[in-house]
Amino acid sequence: MNKPNDLVSSIDPDDIDCNDSPNEHFNTVLNARLSRRSLLRGGMASAATAIFGAVGLSACSSDDPAPVAPTPTPTPTPVPTEKLLAFNAVPKTLADMVTVPAGYTASVIYALGDPLNGTTPAYKNDGTDDNFDTRAGDHHDGMEFYGLSANGTATTSSSDRGLLAVNHEATTDAKLSSFFLHANGGVTTLPRPVAEVDKEVAIHGVSVVEVKKTGAAWAYVKESSFNRRITPLTDIELSGPARGNALLVTKYSPTATKTRGTLNNCGTGKSPWGSFLTGEENWSGYFVRGAADDAARAGDKSIASLKRYGRNQGAASRHGWESAGSDDKYARWDISKKGASADGSDDYRNEMNGMGYIVEMDPYDKSKSARKRTALGRYAHESAAFGNPVVGQQLAVYMGDDSRNEYIYKFVSTAVWAAADASASDRMATGDKYLDSGKLYVAKINADGSGQWIELAMSNAAIAGYSAYKFADQADIAINARLAADAVGATKMDRPEWCSVNPANGEIYYSLTNNSNRAVDPSSSQLAPDSSNPRAYTDMKGSSAQTGNPNGHILRMKEGAGGSAATSFTWDVYLFGAEAGANGGFVNLSNLTADQDFSSPDGLAFSPYTGICWIQTDDGAYTDVTNCMMLAAVPGTVGDGAKVTLNHPKANGGTLAVDTYVGKKPTAETLKRFLVGPVGSEITGICETPDGKSMFINIQHPGENTSQANLADPSKYTSQWPSNAGYGPGKRPRSATIVITKNDGGRIGS
Ligand code: FEO
Ligand code: CA
Ligand code: CA
Ligand code: CA
């Protein structure tokens, strides 16, 4: 999500910076020392291969004894049967439409408000619609496809019928209200009316919707028995180490075993056993905390936790849902300590500890409760990407925490992968097996091209003895993963968004979308560039100067010895986002051309069928020139490029030398823009049918920058999509799923 307009929502929730731990400054000093040392070693390290071979791996092995690794079974690699990226690149454009290459067709199939059963009325799109718990939610985001056979059973081979599990992250808001959802734009002062709040709550969460192809045309199936909504009010089980923990006791669940709903669902994942994973991202902003709550909590350690997760005392909530009345379903959004109990069973002081997880659900079975997998840690989750599973080895799940200066994580299961589990009949029980027990790691990235995965556990003395927060046990570490990562000196990144694993070689790609808080001469709230976040520059958008790393980059990691369970890795930067004309020495380090340039990578997913790496943007920096986009890429491998030293000029006349590793520069054959979206939209959510011939993606928040004051005048909406593409009544813009097909019946991206 990106750039709400004003008042309470004047800060992009993605951009909240809650990390004031000192570890990055230490890292920066260390990295600067390392980079000087590398320079002193002379020009020997001009080739990245030399770095990785001579410095990176040997440095790792001395710090970190290599585990004994079973011989990996190679994962089947997608084999292109046709020339990939043969389409003509789509030019940058500000047109209010979805633009795809010649020879392709994009069609809208599932938009905000579409009914999910036969009794919910058709969507009028005039602000009078209700019953959103039986309609498509808002702000479609991450999404996965689950095949259905002709007789309605789960299959991985169907390419003409299936279920889409769709995240509904948030809503287009201005002054508190989701204004496109209300006839008059909604009430913009507190208290918020019950009817408005009930609608706004229900448009969040997840939907499961059946889609079906008839002839060449896809449509969603309104009356499918598989259709399902999960909202912030749906009962969800807490699972893993934090289940039953004192930090999760609430009035609603004194046994700390369940919570209500999932919120701000952003990236997704698909497990090797066919379940759906959804990441809870900017949930913190939905809670209000009283101005005197520190005193009410009498100095207990929850204050440090709340601060680290973005809720200082006096913090206002994004929509004021707590103000709609005394009913418990509204009261829960106020996390002030109000009750007299010692354990929190008479109020919602611990309610926020129930949000911030990877949530697993079975898309095929709506009788089964979703489960929050607490072992994977609590933070602002994006996607959850599994390493390529190898029989007899532990499973790795890669994840990021999307806020400025947050971290990259990995979970490694205790259980080793059994091939029979790929077709397990009880998918949630299989999730219990792999996702409730294991080790959680955070990434520390070194300037020499190496890195370590550091386990977050009480056995780590830095965690057990951390002075800023006294950890009690592994449940406490999972719930307060950010604090544990601070304690071990993890590397602060430029906002980790999605990650994905290359099916061809197991390398892990992370979108680092942007960071306005990098500076060569940093203030106390900023960070100096470091090797894996090496840029700090000024980009002009009209007359406004955007500083830091406005265009983002894509980090790439290769596991060391041990495969999924490795505790060391090597890395480089696959691509740097930039404008094609930008300075090639400091900004356009990947030498992007006009057919390739992009800003703020966010969604990122490898196709398991073609092997193409799809890159999607959620940008506010380059939107004076182009709407957000999706690109197709055929990347190489970690270390295929070269080491580059950026000599940033400092204010005092000196230079800050930062070594980084730039992946091999793309060519016209290996990176090409495939799609540009409507005005104000983010391009997100990507999945395909197994034949690779139908691709589903999401268009999130078209018309986002419309002023609430202009609601009565559709001509002033910044976007009228998808009604201007012939989908549905009314001119209010709607988030929607589209399907892309190739007119000659070929695979997408060929
Ligand atoms: Fe919901 Fe970090 O994007
Ligand atoms: Ca985003
Ligand atoms: Ca610019
Ligand atoms: Ca995102």
Side-chain angles (χ1 to χ4, degrees):
M1 79 111 47
N2 197 17
K3 319 280 182 285
N5 294 342
D6 48 16
L7 287 184
V8 171
S9 299
S10 63
I11 299 168
D12 180 345
D14 275 344
D15 281 350
I16 294 167
D17 174 0
C18 315
N19 193 350
D20 58 1
S21 68
N23 46 301
E24 182 65 19
H25 305 291
F26 172 77
N27 274 352
T28 304
V29 171
L30 180 69
N31 290 347
R33 273 190 203 140
L34 284 169
S35 64
R36 274 198 300 276
R37 209 189 309 156
S38 298
L39 284 174
L40 288 173
R41 279 185 183 134
M44 69 171 200
S46 58
T49 46
I51 295 288
F52 296 129
V55 181
L57 294 175
S58 61
C60 292
S61 56
S62 61
D63 290 352
D64 185 12
V68 178
T71 305
T73 309
T75 302
T77 300
V79 179
T81 54
E82 69 283 79
K83 180 173 165 54
L84 298 179
L85 276 53
F87 58 88
N88 289 326
V90 170
K92 296 184 285 288
T93 176
L94 294 168
D96 189 28
M97 60 187 289
V98 173
T99 307
V100 291
Y104 284 85
T105 299
S107 310
V108 183
I109 58 167
Y110 179 60
L112 164 69
D114 280 343
L116 288 169
N117 60 31
T119 56
T120 301
Y123 196 56
K124 296 196 290 289
N125 195 25
D126 60 4
T128 64
D129 301 280
D130 207 340
N131 308 109
F132 279 88
D133 53 359
T134 52
R135 298 183 182 277
D138 203 353
H139 280 212
H140 301 39
D141 204 333
M143 172 171 62
E144 306 288 346
F145 179 84
Y146 298 89
L148 280 174
S149 67
N151 60 7
T153 56
T155 175
T156 55
S157 60
S158 172
S159 288
D160 57 9
R161 183 185 179 194
L163 304 174
L164 293 175
V166 184
N167 279 348
H168 297 292
E169 183 182 27
T171 186
T172 302
D173 52 2
K175 299 173 184 174
L176 290 173
S177 163
S178 307
F179 65 98
F180 281 124
L181 291 184
H182 307 303
N184 63 358
V187 171
T188 57
T189 53
L190 299 178
R192 299 292 317 286
V194 166
E196 291 185 9
V197 169
D198 287 350
K199 272 198 209 187
E200 292 172 14
V201 170
I203 55 91
H204 289 71
V206 174
S207 62
V208 175
V209 59
E210 183 177 339
V211 291
K212 194 172 182 181
K213 187 176 169 192
T214 305
W218 284 91
Y220 89 96
V221 183
K222 185 172 76 173
E223 299 190 38
S224 169
S225 61
F226 289 100
N227 293 348
R228 174 185 188 186
R229 278 300 315 279
I230 308 275
T231 76
L233 289 174
T234 307
D235 256 5
I236 299 191
E237 291 285 317
L238 296 163
S239 196
R243 179 179 172 85
N245 186 270
L247 298 178
L248 286 160
V249 168
T250 63
K251 187 176 173 185
Y252 188 70
S253 181
T255 56
T257 51
K258 64 176 185 175
T259 188
R260 269 173 297 194
T262 184
L263 187 61
N264 228 262
N265 303 78
C266 194
T268 54
K270 187 176 187 178
S271 71
W273 52 96
S275 65
F276 176 65
L277 302 180
T278 172
E280 300 176 329
E281 188 190 15
N282 294 306
W283 36 273
S284 169
Y286 288 73
F287 296 94
V288 67
R289 192 169 163 234
D293 195 46
D294 281 359
R297 290 173 185 260
D300 76 30
K301 71 177 190 176
S302 67
I303 296 168
S305 168
L306 288 160
K307 179 168 185 287
R308 186 64 181 81
Y309 284 88
R311 290 293 91 181
N312 287 333
Q313 66 175 357
S317 64
R318 177 169 170 172
H319 295 294
W321 289 347
E322 76 286 347
S323 70
S326 58
D327 189 297
D328 197 62
K329 68 182 179 182
Y330 310 120
R332 67 177 292 212
W333 301 108
D334 184 343
I335 55 172
S336 310
K337 181 179 178 184
K338 294 180 169 178
S341 70
D343 64 357
S345 58
D346 58 350
D347 62 15
Y348 287 101
R349 76 187 74 157
N350 293 326
E351 180 75 351
M352 201 170 84
N353 288 341
M355 292 289 179
Y357 299 99
I358 292 292
V359 185
E360 183 180 24
M361 54 186 278
D362 184 342
Y364 294 107
D365 188 348
K366 58 185 177 185
S367 74
K368 293 219 170 81
S369 292
R371 294 184 192 168
K372 300 206 176 191
R373 299 298 183 187
T374 65
L376 280 63
R378 173 171 163 268
Y379 36 94
H381 277 281
E382 288 278 337
S383 64
F386 284 79
N388 297 333
V390 177
V391 170
Q393 288 194 13
Q394 295 159 283
L395 293 179
V397 186
Y398 300 93
M399 299 167 288
D401 182 355
D402 179 16
S403 197
R404 286 193 303 242
N405 308 325
E406 292 297 345
Y407 306 125
I408 282 173
Y409 294 84
K410 171 172 82 162
F411 172 81
V412 178
S413 65
T414 302
V416 298
W417 178 240
D421 285 334
S423 50
S425 57
D426 188 336
R427 282 172 281 270
M428 295 308 292
T430 309
D432 294 344
K433 173 180 174 182
Y434 290 105
L435 298 179
D436 280 349
S437 174
K439 292 180 177 178
L440 183 63
Y441 297 87
V442 70
K444 184 169 184 174
I445 301 177
N446 304 321
D448 64 359
S450 71
Q452 279 81 45
W453 292 113
I454 302 176
E455 187 185 350
L456 301 179
M458 293 301 287
S459 56
N460 186 316
I463 292 175
Y466 192 44
S467 60
Y469 184 86
K470 187 168 171 45
F471 287 98
D473 49 29
Q474 190 62 34
D476 200 354
I477 290 172
I479 293 167
N480 290 291
R482 282 181 174 174
L483 286 160
D486 293 344
V488 302
T491 301
K492 296 178 179 178
M493 308 301 294
D494 287 350
R495 295 185 49 199
E497 290 261 8
W498 289 35
C499 54
S500 185
V501 173
N502 186 342
N505 59 18
E507 294 180 358
I508 309 114
Y509 286 61
Y510 272 91
S511 288
L512 300 168
T513 193
N514 56 56
N515 188 354
S516 53
N517 267 0
R518 292 272 169 200
V520 176
D521 294 288
S523 67
S524 61
S525 62
Q526 295 174 317
L527 296 172
D530 63 21
S531 62
S532 57
N533 305 276
R535 293 186 304 175
Y537 57 98
T538 298
D539 166 66
M540 297 306 294
K541 183 179 182 185
S543 58
S544 112
Q546 306 172 113
T547 58
N549 174 11
N551 302 126
H553 56 288
I554 298 173
L555 185 81
R556 180 165 61 177
M557 306 156 90
K558 179 185 181 69
E559 292 283 26
S564 59
T567 53
S568 64
F569 56 86
T570 51
W571 64 270
D572 69 6
V573 175
Y574 165 50
L575 289 175
F576 286 93
E579 299 180 9
N583 180 314
F586 282 98
V587 181
N588 190 11
L589 298 171
S590 297
N591 197 27
L592 303 181
T593 67
D595 285 344
Q596 300 169 324
D597 57 344
F598 68 92
S599 176
S600 302
D602 185 342
L604 186 152
F606 279 87
S607 167
Y609 314 114
T610 59
I612 291 173
C613 178
W614 295 96
I615 300 164
Q616 303 172 314
T617 69
D618 176 15
D619 184 42
Y622 205 12
T623 45
D624 51 338
V625 172
T626 182
N627 300 335
C628 288
M629 63 182 70
M630 180 165 80
L631 304 102
V634 181
T637 60
V638 169
D640 64 5
K643 176 183 166 184
V644 170
T645 302
L646 302 182
N647 290 302
H648 294 287
K650 288 179 66 71
N652 67 6
T655 55
L656 172 69
V658 176
D659 288 347
T660 192
Y661 304 93
V662 183
K664 184 178 180 182
K665 292 177 174 51
T667 67
E669 308 292 306
T670 62
L671 179 66
K672 208 177 266 189
R673 188 178 303 105
F674 179 83
L675 175 149
V676 180
V679 176
S681 68
E682 163 184 350
I683 310 302
T684 182
I686 180 162
C687 54
E688 293 166 283
T689 53
D691 62 5
K693 295 180 176 177
S694 300
M695 171 179 285
F696 304 92
I697 70 164
N698 282 324
I699 306 296
Q700 187 187 101
H701 59 61
E704 176 183 56
N705 293 322
T706 299
S707 164
Q708 183 163 359
N710 290 332
L711 185 68
D713 183 356
S715 72
K716 292 183 176 167
Y717 298 171
T718 60
S719 171
Q720 295 185 359
W721 190 90
S723 68
N724 66 4
Y727 192 87
K731 296 195 184 305
R732 297 181 180 206
R734 301 160 73 185
S735 295
T737 302
I738 65 172
V739 62
I740 299 167
T741 51
K742 196 172 183 203
N743 301 346
D744 68 4
R747 299 203 297 176
I748 309 303
S750 61

